[in-house]
Amino acid sequence: VTGIVLEKLTLILGRVCANPQNPVFNHFLFEALAALVQFVCKANPAAVTEFENRLFPPFQQVLAQEVTELTPYVFQIMAQMLELGPGAPSQGYLSLFQALLHPALWDNRGNAPVLVRLIEAYFRKGASQVVNPTRIEGLLGVFQKLIASGSTEEYAFRLLISLVEFLP
């Protein structure tokens, strides 16, 4: 049943990527995906791989096409899958990490909470794989960007605390 529901939701997500006109529908679509990930993967962490295989292609489409209405949802579900998955981040996650430090992503204030959550998940699952001197500089740049605004300073401190906590 999970496979059928996931397949249908993924098809709908593909259509929404092409035309994200209805924000309420988009919200509930991603809520349904998040609930499915949570309930299935919490009971069976091995199922995360299937979810990643099915969701990464449409998620990559959202990110490549810069569908700003959907990017916070994508990052939220990616963080959720990374948190629920067994073991270290897969190569798909690792290849994305550097792009998460790009300043333009942080310009959208709606991205800040979910991006910080995603980076925290990277640190919990594989800090030694994602933290190196070059990336520390990028992470500190993100911290500086977030601390400059009162509406995102909370996330700046969450990022800094995670960096210090998980620094290899």
PDB file of all heavy atoms in Angstrom, residues 64-88:
ATOM      1  N   ALA A  64      16.470  22.253  -8.957  1.00  0.00           N
ATOM      2  CA  ALA A  64      17.090  22.697 -10.213  1.00  0.00           C
ATOM      3  C   ALA A  64      16.280  23.807 -10.874  1.00  0.00           C
ATOM      4  O   ALA A  64      16.858  24.743 -11.438  1.00  0.00           O
ATOM      5  CB  ALA A  64      17.240  21.517 -11.167  1.00  0.00           C
ATOM      6  N   GLN A  65      14.962  23.704 -10.808  1.00  0.00           N
ATOM      7  CA  GLN A  65      14.099  24.721 -11.419  1.00  0.00           C
ATOM      8  C   GLN A  65      13.855  25.907 -10.489  1.00  0.00           C
ATOM      9  O   GLN A  65      13.141  26.832 -10.855  1.00  0.00           O
ATOM     10  CB  GLN A  65      12.760  24.098 -11.823  1.00  0.00           C
ATOM     11  CG  GLN A  65      12.875  23.091 -12.916  1.00  0.00           C
ATOM     12  CD  GLN A  65      11.535  22.427 -13.224  1.00  0.00           C
ATOM     13  OE1 GLN A  65      10.523  22.670 -12.579  1.00  0.00           O
ATOM     14  NE2 GLN A  65      11.541  21.552 -14.227  1.00  0.00           N
ATOM     15  N   GLU A  66      14.427  25.834  -9.291  1.00  0.00           N
ATOM     16  CA  GLU A  66      14.291  26.898  -8.294  1.00  0.00           C
ATOM     17  C   GLU A  66      12.824  27.272  -8.057  1.00  0.00           C
ATOM     18  O   GLU A  66      12.439  28.440  -8.115  1.00  0.00           O
ATOM     19  CB  GLU A  66      15.119  28.119  -8.683  1.00  0.00           C
ATOM     20  CG  GLU A  66      16.599  27.823  -8.749  1.00  0.00           C
ATOM     21  CD  GLU A  66      17.441  29.021  -9.173  1.00  0.00           C
ATOM     22  OE1 GLU A  66      16.884  30.121  -9.387  1.00  0.00           O
ATOM     23  OE2 GLU A  66      18.654  28.847  -9.282  1.00  0.00           O
ATOM     24  N   VAL A  67      12.028  26.265  -7.775  1.00  0.00           N
ATOM     25  CA  VAL A  67      10.618  26.468  -7.460  1.00  0.00           C
ATOM     26  C   VAL A  67      10.559  26.900  -5.986  1.00  0.00           C
ATOM     27  O   VAL A  67      10.419  26.071  -5.089  1.00  0.00           O
ATOM     28  CB  VAL A  67       9.776  25.202  -7.711  1.00  0.00           C
ATOM     29  CG1 VAL A  67       8.294  25.483  -7.486  1.00  0.00           C
ATOM     30  CG2 VAL A  67      10.010  24.657  -9.108  1.00  0.00           C
ATOM     31  N   THR A  68      10.709  28.198  -5.756  1.00  0.00           N
ATOM     32  CA  THR A  68      10.882  28.714  -4.394  1.00  0.00           C
ATOM     33  C   THR A  68       9.697  28.422  -3.476  1.00  0.00           C
ATOM     34  O   THR A  68       9.875  28.338  -2.264  1.00  0.00           O
ATOM     35  CB  THR A  68      11.152  30.234  -4.416  1.00  0.00           C
ATOM     36  OG1 THR A  68      10.084  30.884  -5.103  1.00  0.00           O
ATOM     37  CG2 THR A  68      12.459  30.547  -5.094  1.00  0.00           C
ATOM     38  N   GLU A  69       8.513  28.250  -4.046  1.00  0.00           N
ATOM     39  CA  GLU A  69       7.344  27.940  -3.230  1.00  0.00           C
ATOM     40  C   GLU A  69       7.459  26.562  -2.588  1.00  0.00           C
ATOM     41  O   GLU A  69       6.836  26.296  -1.559  1.00  0.00           O
ATOM     42  CB  GLU A  69       6.051  27.967  -4.066  1.00  0.00           C
ATOM     43  CG  GLU A  69       5.747  29.276  -4.741  1.00  0.00           C
ATOM     44  CD  GLU A  69       6.312  29.353  -6.166  1.00  0.00           C
ATOM     45  OE1 GLU A  69       7.351  28.722  -6.457  1.00  0.00           O
ATOM     46  OE2 GLU A  69       5.705  30.057  -6.977  1.00  0.00           O
ATOM     47  N   LEU A  70       8.247  25.680  -3.204  1.00  0.00           N
ATOM     48  CA  LEU A  70       8.320  24.296  -2.741  1.00  0.00           C
ATOM     49  C   LEU A  70       9.630  23.939  -2.040  1.00  0.00           C
ATOM     50  O   LEU A  70       9.702  22.909  -1.372  1.00  0.00           O
ATOM     51  CB  LEU A  70       8.115  23.344  -3.932  1.00  0.00           C
ATOM     52  CG  LEU A  70       6.828  23.536  -4.747  1.00  0.00           C
ATOM     53  CD1 LEU A  70       6.764  22.526  -5.884  1.00  0.00           C
ATOM     54  CD2 LEU A  70       5.597  23.430  -3.870  1.00  0.00           C
ATOM     55  N   THR A  71      10.663  24.755  -2.185  1.00  0.00           N
ATOM     56  CA  THR A  71      11.969  24.372  -1.623  1.00  0.00           C
ATOM     57  C   THR A  71      11.951  24.155  -0.112  1.00  0.00           C
ATOM     58  O   THR A  71      12.581  23.203   0.353  1.00  0.00           O
ATOM     59  CB  THR A  71      13.082  25.364  -2.025  1.00  0.00           C
ATOM     60  OG1 THR A  71      12.701  26.683  -1.673  1.00  0.00           O
ATOM     61  CG2 THR A  71      13.401  25.276  -3.492  1.00  0.00           C
ATOM     62  N   PRO A  72      11.262  24.968   0.687  1.00  0.00           N
ATOM     63  CA  PRO A  72      11.274  24.660   2.125  1.00  0.00           C
ATOM     64  C   PRO A  72      10.691  23.279   2.434  1.00  0.00           C
ATOM     65  O   PRO A  72      11.197  22.572   3.306  1.00  0.00           O
ATOM     66  CB  PRO A  72      10.412  25.767   2.750  1.00  0.00           C
ATOM     67  CG  PRO A  72      10.457  26.888   1.767  1.00  0.00           C
ATOM     68  CD  PRO A  72      10.566  26.228   0.417  1.00  0.00           C
ATOM     69  N   TYR A  73       9.657  22.893   1.706  1.00  0.00           N
ATOM     70  CA  TYR A  73       9.060  21.573   1.915  1.00  0.00           C
ATOM     71  C   TYR A  73      10.050  20.463   1.550  1.00  0.00           C
ATOM     72  O   TYR A  73      10.155  19.455   2.249  1.00  0.00           O
ATOM     73  CB  TYR A  73       7.794  21.408   1.073  1.00  0.00           C
ATOM     74  CG  TYR A  73       6.678  22.347   1.417  1.00  0.00           C
ATOM     75  CD1 TYR A  73       6.248  23.309   0.504  1.00  0.00           C
ATOM     76  CD2 TYR A  73       6.008  22.264   2.633  1.00  0.00           C
ATOM     77  CE1 TYR A  73       5.195  24.161   0.802  1.00  0.00           C
ATOM     78  CE2 TYR A  73       4.959  23.117   2.941  1.00  0.00           C
ATOM     79  CZ  TYR A  73       4.566  24.063   2.022  1.00  0.00           C
ATOM     80  OH  TYR A  73       3.522  24.902   2.320  1.00  0.00           O
ATOM     81  N   VAL A  74      10.750  20.655   0.452  1.00  0.00           N
ATOM     82  CA  VAL A  74      11.728  19.654   0.009  1.00  0.00           C
ATOM     83  C   VAL A  74      12.817  19.480   1.065  1.00  0.00           C
ATOM     84  O   VAL A  74      13.160  18.359   1.443  1.00  0.00           O
ATOM     85  CB  VAL A  74      12.337  20.053  -1.358  1.00  0.00           C
ATOM     86  CG1 VAL A  74      13.561  19.224  -1.680  1.00  0.00           C
ATOM     87  CG2 VAL A  74      11.287  19.920  -2.453  1.00  0.00           C
ATOM     88  N   PHE A  75      13.347  20.596   1.557  1.00  0.00           N
ATOM     89  CA  PHE A  75      14.401  20.503   2.572  1.00  0.00           C
ATOM     90  C   PHE A  75      13.885  19.866   3.860  1.00  0.00           C
ATOM     91  O   PHE A  75      14.595  19.117   4.521  1.00  0.00           O
ATOM     92  CB  PHE A  75      14.992  21.882   2.857  1.00  0.00           C
ATOM     93  CG  PHE A  75      15.781  22.457   1.705  1.00  0.00           C
ATOM     94  CD1 PHE A  75      15.621  23.777   1.329  1.00  0.00           C
ATOM     95  CD2 PHE A  75      16.683  21.678   0.993  1.00  0.00           C
ATOM     96  CE1 PHE A  75      16.347  24.315   0.266  1.00  0.00           C
ATOM     97  CE2 PHE A  75      17.412  22.200  -0.068  1.00  0.00           C
ATOM     98  CZ  PHE A  75      17.243  23.519  -0.427  1.00  0.00           C
ATOM     99  N   GLN A  76      12.640  20.151   4.198  1.00  0.00           N
ATOM    100  CA  GLN A  76      12.058  19.569   5.410  1.00  0.00           C
ATOM    101  C   GLN A  76      11.970  18.044   5.307  1.00  0.00           C
ATOM    102  O   GLN A  76      12.340  17.330   6.236  1.00  0.00           O
ATOM    103  CB  GLN A  76      10.670  20.153   5.654  1.00  0.00           C
ATOM    104  CG  GLN A  76       9.962  19.571   6.855  1.00  0.00           C
ATOM    105  CD  GLN A  76       8.551  20.102   7.012  1.00  0.00           C
ATOM    106  OE1 GLN A  76       8.090  20.951   6.260  1.00  0.00           O
ATOM    107  NE2 GLN A  76       7.857  19.618   8.019  1.00  0.00           N
ATOM    108  N   ILE A  77      11.495  17.559   4.182  1.00  0.00           N
ATOM    109  CA  ILE A  77      11.358  16.107   4.034  1.00  0.00           C
ATOM    110  C   ILE A  77      12.721  15.442   3.877  1.00  0.00           C
ATOM    111  O   ILE A  77      12.935  14.339   4.379  1.00  0.00           O
ATOM    112  CB  ILE A  77      10.390  15.770   2.879  1.00  0.00           C
ATOM    113  CG1 ILE A  77       8.984  16.240   3.265  1.00  0.00           C
ATOM    114  CG2 ILE A  77      10.395  14.276   2.571  1.00  0.00           C
ATOM    115  CD1 ILE A  77       7.933  16.069   2.209  1.00  0.00           C
ATOM    116  N   MET A  78      13.656  16.124   3.238  1.00  0.00           N
ATOM    117  CA  MET A  78      15.003  15.567   3.157  1.00  0.00           C
ATOM    118  C   MET A  78      15.621  15.434   4.550  1.00  0.00           C
ATOM    119  O   MET A  78      16.255  14.428   4.867  1.00  0.00           O
ATOM    120  CB  MET A  78      15.888  16.431   2.253  1.00  0.00           C
ATOM    121  CG  MET A  78      15.516  16.329   0.788  1.00  0.00           C
ATOM    122  SD  MET A  78      16.569  17.339  -0.250  1.00  0.00           S
ATOM    123  CE  MET A  78      18.067  16.377  -0.205  1.00  0.00           C
ATOM    124  N   ALA A  79      15.424  16.448   5.395  1.00  0.00           N
ATOM    125  CA  ALA A  79      15.919  16.382   6.770  1.00  0.00           C
ATOM    126  C   ALA A  79      15.261  15.226   7.515  1.00  0.00           C
ATOM    127  O   ALA A  79      15.921  14.471   8.237  1.00  0.00           O
ATOM    128  CB  ALA A  79      15.659  17.702   7.487  1.00  0.00           C
ATOM    129  N   GLN A  80      13.976  15.088   7.316  1.00  0.00           N
ATOM    130  CA  GLN A  80      13.229  14.017   7.975  1.00  0.00           C
ATOM    131  C   GLN A  80      13.766  12.642   7.558  1.00  0.00           C
ATOM    132  O   GLN A  80      13.984  11.773   8.410  1.00  0.00           O
ATOM    133  CB  GLN A  80      11.750  14.166   7.610  1.00  0.00           C
ATOM    134  CG  GLN A  80      10.826  13.192   8.267  1.00  0.00           C
ATOM    135  CD  GLN A  80       9.393  13.378   7.803  1.00  0.00           C
ATOM    136  OE1 GLN A  80       9.137  13.812   6.682  1.00  0.00           O
ATOM    137  NE2 GLN A  80       8.450  13.044   8.658  1.00  0.00           N
ATOM    138  N   MET A  81      13.987  12.437   6.270  1.00  0.00           N
ATOM    139  CA  MET A  81      14.499  11.145   5.807  1.00  0.00           C
ATOM    140  C   MET A  81      15.917  10.894   6.334  1.00  0.00           C
ATOM    141  O   MET A  81      16.246   9.774   6.720  1.00  0.00           O
ATOM    142  CB  MET A  81      14.471  11.068   4.273  1.00  0.00           C
ATOM    143  CG  MET A  81      13.073  10.988   3.708  1.00  0.00           C
ATOM    144  SD  MET A  81      12.994  10.670   1.917  1.00  0.00           S
ATOM    145  CE  MET A  81      13.854  12.078   1.230  1.00  0.00           C
ATOM    146  N   LEU A  82      16.734  11.931   6.345  1.00  0.00           N
ATOM    147  CA  LEU A  82      18.101  11.789   6.849  1.00  0.00           C
ATOM    148  C   LEU A  82      18.085  11.437   8.335  1.00  0.00           C
ATOM    149  O   LEU A  82      18.846  10.578   8.781  1.00  0.00           O
ATOM    150  CB  LEU A  82      18.886  13.069   6.586  1.00  0.00           C
ATOM    151  CG  LEU A  82      20.387  13.041   6.867  1.00  0.00           C
ATOM    152  CD1 LEU A  82      21.086  11.905   6.142  1.00  0.00           C
ATOM    153  CD2 LEU A  82      21.009  14.381   6.468  1.00  0.00           C
ATOM    154  N   GLU A  83      17.204  12.069   9.091  1.00  0.00           N
ATOM    155  CA  GLU A  83      17.096  11.784  10.526  1.00  0.00           C
ATOM    156  C   GLU A  83      16.614  10.355  10.783  1.00  0.00           C
ATOM    157  O   GLU A  83      17.086   9.699  11.717  1.00  0.00           O
ATOM    158  CB  GLU A  83      16.122  12.766  11.189  1.00  0.00           C
ATOM    159  CG  GLU A  83      16.621  14.187  11.254  1.00  0.00           C
ATOM    160  CD  GLU A  83      15.527  15.207  11.547  1.00  0.00           C
ATOM    161  OE1 GLU A  83      14.318  14.862  11.568  1.00  0.00           O
ATOM    162  OE2 GLU A  83      15.889  16.382  11.731  1.00  0.00           O
ATOM    163  N   LEU A  84      15.691   9.881   9.983  1.00  0.00           N
ATOM    164  CA  LEU A  84      15.093   8.557  10.204  1.00  0.00           C
ATOM    165  C   LEU A  84      15.917   7.418   9.611  1.00  0.00           C
ATOM    166  O   LEU A  84      15.728   6.264  10.004  1.00  0.00           O
ATOM    167  CB  LEU A  84      13.677   8.517   9.625  1.00  0.00           C
ATOM    168  CG  LEU A  84      12.640   9.384  10.334  1.00  0.00           C
ATOM    169  CD1 LEU A  84      11.358   9.461   9.520  1.00  0.00           C
ATOM    170  CD2 LEU A  84      12.368   8.863  11.736  1.00  0.00           C
ATOM    171  N   GLY A  85      16.787   7.740   8.684  1.00  0.00           N
ATOM    172  CA  GLY A  85      17.548   6.688   8.009  1.00  0.00           C
ATOM    173  C   GLY A  85      18.628   6.087   8.878  1.00  0.00           C
ATOM    174  O   GLY A  85      19.190   6.748   9.751  1.00  0.00           O
ATOM    175  N   PRO A  86      18.916   4.817   8.632  1.00  0.00           N
ATOM    176  CA  PRO A  86      19.993   4.174   9.378  1.00  0.00           C
ATOM    177  C   PRO A  86      21.351   4.544   8.777  1.00  0.00           C
ATOM    178  O   PRO A  86      21.491   4.655   7.565  1.00  0.00           O
ATOM    179  CB  PRO A  86      19.697   2.683   9.190  1.00  0.00           C
ATOM    180  CG  PRO A  86      19.009   2.602   7.869  1.00  0.00           C
ATOM    181  CD  PRO A  86      18.245   3.893   7.725  1.00  0.00           C
ATOM    182  N   GLY A  87      22.314   4.783   9.607  1.00  0.00           N
ATOM    183  CA  GLY A  87      23.670   5.008   9.119  1.00  0.00           C
ATOM    184  C   GLY A  87      23.942   6.420   8.652  1.00  0.00           C
ATOM    185  O   GLY A  87      23.159   7.343   8.848  1.00  0.00           O
ATOM    186  N   ALA A  88      25.086   6.542   8.005  1.00  0.00           N
ATOM    187  CA  ALA A  88      25.604   7.824   7.540  1.00  0.00           C
ATOM    188  C   ALA A  88      24.849   8.314   6.311  1.00  0.00           C
ATOM    189  O   ALA A  88      24.159   7.536   5.640  1.00  0.00           O
ATOM    190  CB  ALA A  88      27.087   7.682   7.219  1.00  0.00           C
TER     191      ALA A  88
END
